[in-house]
Amino acid sequence: MEYIIIIISAVLVNNIVLTQFLGICPFLGVSKKIDTAVGMTGAVAFVMVLATIVTFLIQHYLLNPLNLAYLQTITFILIIASLVQLVEIILKKVSPALYQALGVFLPLITTNCAILGVAILVIQKDFNLMEGVVYAIANAIGFGLALIIFAGLREHLDMQNVPTGLKGVPIALITAGILAMAFMGFSGIV
């Protein structure tokens, strides 16, 4: 039951993008097409889960025993940067089209505060490793859900007659705000 609460809370109630405002850069930058959003979701999910596992182990078996917890942020950033390089190399070999589509936003996963935020929140919430992995997967699903819904809305908006002053980023931000308010409707579930 505890895992179900973690999943529902992370995906719907406390969505990492729409309620905690972490990961906004890729949310706004890669949400113009659904295909790109799905690819970014996969890359973020892979890095988020792997980073959570590695950072958890580093925190509990290296930083805490050596009283180096104050190095948590810099250590986590270095781990995430290394994992993103791994994903970049794999994507370049496996799916060059997706690698090209993600463009500059792939290296931005390195500084995606959603990934760093989840890694730090797992430690702050005092989750065990399994709970941390479930939390990371649920946040990746929540990130992907928000990103794909938003990409679909933006694709639909491109076909609409939007006033000139609202075209592009302004209408995207208004849409993101409305989407965030829609997710606030889930706040009473957990």
Side-chain angles (χ1 to χ4, degrees), residues 2-75:
E2 187 174 327
Y3 293 123
I4 293 171
I5 291 171
I6 290 172
I7 292 168
I8 291 171
S9 175
V11 174
L12 298 174
V13 178
N14 295 316
N15 186 285
I16 197 85
V17 177
L18 298 174
T19 61
Q20 297 184 33
F21 305 113
L22 297 173
I24 295 293
C25 183
F27 178 72
L28 293 174
V30 188
S31 60
K32 292 180 182 172
K33 295 188 179 200
I34 292 178
D35 297 341
T36 311
V38 170
M40 179 57 97
T41 297
V44 166
F46 178 74
V47 172
M48 191 177 284
V49 172
L50 204 55
T52 300
I53 293 169
V54 173
T55 56
F56 180 89
L57 295 173
I58 294 291
Q59 180 75 35
H60 287 283
Y61 296 109
L62 184 68
L63 297 179
N64 288 349
L66 297 175
N67 291 324
L68 297 172
Y70 61 91
L71 293 174
Q72 178 187 57
T73 304
I74 191 71
T75 305

Side-chain angles (χ1 to χ4, degrees), residues 51-133:
T52 300
I53 293 169
V54 173
T55 56
F56 180 89
L57 295 173
I58 294 291
Q59 180 75 35
H60 287 283
Y61 296 109
L62 184 68
L63 297 179
N64 288 349
L66 297 175
N67 291 324
L68 297 172
Y70 61 91
L71 293 174
Q72 178 187 57
T73 304
I74 191 71
T75 305
F76 286 12
I77 289 171
L78 291 172
I79 291 167
I80 292 166
S82 302
L83 293 173
V84 169
Q85 288 300 312
L86 177 69
V87 169
E88 199 169 346
I89 291 167
I90 291 171
L91 272 181
K92 200 173 194 179
K93 299 259 187 217
V94 174
S95 180
L98 179 59
Y99 176 78
Q100 286 294 98
L102 291 175
V104 71
F105 294 102
L106 190 57
L108 287 178
I109 293 176
T110 304
T111 58
N112 185 345
C113 52
I115 295 171
L116 180 60
V118 168
I120 291 173
L121 285 170
V122 165
I123 303 301
Q124 286 179 348
K125 291 177 183 263
D126 202 28
F127 285 149
N128 62 38
L129 183 58
M130 191 61 182
E131 290 170 338
V133 169

